[in-house]
Amino acid sequence: MKKIFLIAITFLSLSISNAQNSEKAKALLDEVYNKVEGYDNIFVDFKYVLNNKEAGINDETRGDVTMQGDKYLANFFGAQQLFDGRKVYTIVPENEEVTIEDKSEDENTITPSKMLTFYREGHTYKWDILQNVQGKKIQFIKLTPIDTNTEIKSILLGIDAETKHIYKVIETGKNGTMTTITVNSFKTNQPLSKTLFTFDENKYKDEGYYIIRN
């Protein structure tokens, strides 16, 4: 009976500790979200690494994205993607092609406009390690998808403890693929052109681009 009682107490203590860790993690994520929502616009310059040791894949590149509300302009893998609030325009200079399509209705798709807020839904939270990175204190939160059918095993979200800005995202897939996004530069409330999120179709037609409508 004494052993059963001790096991029960231990289990209860662990449950309380896990609940507190989860609440602490959610509170920090709420701080990050509120900070992001307070900016008129955000510019992020980042490094992107895709690694799968078994498949012999190790790709590294850089990109940047400017966001204002749901609208965004992203440069990534030699292409540019623009979302004007209605349509998504993917511009590939190498192929001289522009693809125009409707916004994806798949809520699981992480678009550039969701880059800093995707963690708000569909995950459980756990307080993880604190790292010192070049003088910055980076607090990691482990996210586990609630949907067991997803290809994502877990996500580690690294948050700058001082600025409450996201510094790193490490996504681990069930197939062993690890995707890491590290923020090199994070700027807010920049002066933006009024036409930054406007697509000029005639400009690309005049330059000989092939327009594809999906």
Side-chain angles (χ1 to χ4, degrees):
M1 178 64 77
K2 187 177 180 181
K3 280 188 177 180
I4 295 174
F5 181 73
L6 287 173
I7 290 171
I9 290 296
T10 302
F11 178 76
L12 181 61
S13 297
L14 287 172
S15 297
I16 293 172
S17 177
N18 288 337
Q20 289 174 337
N21 279 341
S22 178
E23 288 176 8
K24 188 163 62 168
K26 186 179 184 305
L28 178 56
L29 292 177
D30 284 343
E31 281 192 78
V32 174
Y33 177 77
N34 291 334
K35 198 79 179 284
V36 167
E37 288 296 291
Y39 297 128
D40 179 62
N41 61 69
I42 298 171
F43 171 81
V44 179
D45 179 276
F46 59 89
K47 181 174 75 172
Y48 174 94
V49 178
L50 179 69
N51 182 272
N52 187 312
K53 291 182 179 179
E54 287 188 9
I57 299 172
N58 188 34
D59 293 331
E60 182 176 322
T61 188
R62 64 156 297 278
D64 62 70
V65 57
T66 302
M67 297 168 276
Q68 186 173 51
D70 287 337
K71 298 177 183 180
Y72 63 80
L73 177 65
N75 296 286
F76 190 51
F77 276 129
Q80 186 175 77
Q81 191 171 84
L82 167 71
F83 178 56
D84 62 5
R86 293 175 54 253
K87 299 281 186 179
V88 178
Y89 306 87
T90 304
I91 304 152
V92 185
E94 186 178 354
N95 300 336
E96 294 190 336
E97 287 182 353
V98 176
T99 302
I100 305 174
E101 54 196 333
D102 291 329
K103 176 185 176 182
S104 173
E105 296 302 323
D106 184 0
E107 294 186 0
N108 294 319
T109 301
I110 299 179
T111 62
S113 56
K114 292 181 182 178
M115 184 178 174
L116 302 176
T117 59
F118 72 91
Y119 50 82
R120 290 280 290 175
E121 298 177 354
H123 303 89
T124 59
Y125 313 123
K126 183 181 178 182
W127 197 259
D128 211 273
I129 63 171
L130 177 68
Q131 283 189 343
N132 191 310
V133 181
Q134 297 177 345
K136 298 178 181 178
K137 290 183 178 180
I138 307 299
Q139 177 62 58
F140 282 89
I141 304 294
K142 185 175 182 180
L143 311 178
T144 303
I146 295 172
D147 181 4
T148 56
N149 294 320
T150 181
E151 295 300 315
I152 301 171
K153 182 180 178 182
S154 65
I155 300 172
L156 277 173
L157 196 61
I159 299 163
D160 188 317
E162 182 179 349
T163 64
K164 301 299 187 293
H165 292 161
I166 294 175
Y167 170 74
K168 183 171 286 191
V169 180
I170 305 171
E171 178 186 289
T172 302
K174 292 178 180 177
N175 63 354
T177 298
M178 183 176 288
T179 305
T180 304
I181 296 174
T182 305
V183 173
N184 296 320
S185 176
F186 191 106
K187 299 177 182 179
T188 61
N189 300 335
Q190 300 293 295
L192 302 180
S193 165
K194 291 181 179 180
T195 60
L196 184 65
F197 304 109
T198 301
F199 178 73
D200 186 351
E201 185 170 335
N202 290 329
K203 169 191 170 185
Y204 289 96
K205 282 182 176 179
D206 291 344
E207 293 178 3
Y209 275 64
Y210 182 61
I211 309 294
I212 304 168
R213 298 181 186 275
N214 288 339

